[in-house]
């Protein structure tokens, strides 16, 4: 796939940042996204990456992910609405599979929550992801946002509960930056 650039350490050019954040706002509920300033601050984290697909110089899709020890965490993944259903998302997922060192983890709404959640889960399952059956709460992603009930999905296979607990703790510590008290509170 041509026209892909990965940004790490410094954010993309301002016009691309604007397009990226517009697509985030159109694709994710407020409780699952950071503010624009918080999103820009993520680029300062050495594990954070933003893979942007820009054919003809226009953002068509992106994947924001964290290159963690032992796995890649896919935080946000979206394709421009007018391009959905044309294979762009599947092609981007293949790019990430090629870049990863094996295990890829993402958060998804439980499929029983809505038709949209059911479609997203089905999309990820067609890409080879598995829904893990363990309870998972996404800590508040931004100030004044609630925790969110989600499921962890993993590629290339489901994971045992002890591995799930390690991944959950790594996400809470490095991505959400919550304390041990939150970890206990969220999973009681």
């Amino acid at each position: 796939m041509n026209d892909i650039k990965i940004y790490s350490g410094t954010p993309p050019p301002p016009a691309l940042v604007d397009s990226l954040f517009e697509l985030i706002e159109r694709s994710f509920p407020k409780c699952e996204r950071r503010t624009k300033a918080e999103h820009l601050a993520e680029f300062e984290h050495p594990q954070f990456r933003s893979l942007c697909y820009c054919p003809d110089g226009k953002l068509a899709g992106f994947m924001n992910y964290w290159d963690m020890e032992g796995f890649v965490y896919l935080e946000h993944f979206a394709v421009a609405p007018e391009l959905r259903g044309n294979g762009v998302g599947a092609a981007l997922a293949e790019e990430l599979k090629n870049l990863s060192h094996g295990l890829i983890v993402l958060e998804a709404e439980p499929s029983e929550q809505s038709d949209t959640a059911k479609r997203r889960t089905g999309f990820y399952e067609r890409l080879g992801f598995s829904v893990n059956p363990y309870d998972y709460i996404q800590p508040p992603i931004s100030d004044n946002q609630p925790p969110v009930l989600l499921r962890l999905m993993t590629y290339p296979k489901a994971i045992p509960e002890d591995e799930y607990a390690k991944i959950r703790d790594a996400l809470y510590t490095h991505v959400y930056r919550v304390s041990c008290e939150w970890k206990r509170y969220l999973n009681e």
Side-chain angles (χ1 to χ4, degrees), residues 19-166:
S19 296
L20 184 64
F21 198 71
E22 284 175 25
L23 186 51
I24 288 172
E25 286 183 315
R26 288 175 26 204
S27 303
F28 296 93
K30 192 172 185 177
C31 63
E32 293 181 24
R33 64 178 191 256
R34 301 177 196 284
T35 65
K36 189 174 185 179
E38 290 167 335
H39 180 62
L40 284 170
E42 286 183 306
F43 286 95
E44 297 171 11
H45 198 288
Q47 294 170 298
F48 181 79
R49 314 273 187 276
S50 187
L51 182 152
C52 297
Y53 173 52
C54 300
D56 304 318
K58 183 179 176 189
L59 182 67
F62 75 94
M63 299 177 118
N64 287 343
Y65 64 96
W66 296 72
D67 194 359
M68 309 289 282
E69 187 174 324
F71 67 97
V72 166
Y73 165 58
L74 179 55
E75 183 176 43
H76 290 112
F77 174 20
V79 172
E82 63 275 12
L83 298 175
R84 291 177 186 159
N86 291 315
V88 173
L92 286 172
E94 287 304 313
E95 281 292 321
L96 187 63
K97 288 176 186 178
N98 292 333
L99 291 169
S100 76
H101 34 70
L103 186 66
I104 301 173
V105 177
L106 62 86
E107 299 165 335
E109 300 92 346
S111 59
E112 59 275 5
Q113 277 188 354
S114 68
D115 288 340
T116 300
K118 184 181 252 184
R119 280 193 307 276
R120 284 182 182 153
T121 299
F123 171 72
Y124 292 127
E125 288 177 328
R126 287 189 299 279
L127 295 174
F129 284 81
S130 299
V131 177
N132 291 279
Y134 321 112
D135 290 335
Y136 177 79
I137 305 288
Q138 175 193 281
I141 196 165
S142 188
D143 288 341
N144 302 316
Q145 294 302 317
V148 181
L149 173 65
L150 298 171
R151 290 278 184 228
L152 290 185
M153 296 185 74
T154 50
Y155 171 88
K157 60 183 175 33
I159 54 175
E161 192 166 8
D162 62 328
E163 188 174 356
Y164 155 81
K166 289 176 187 172

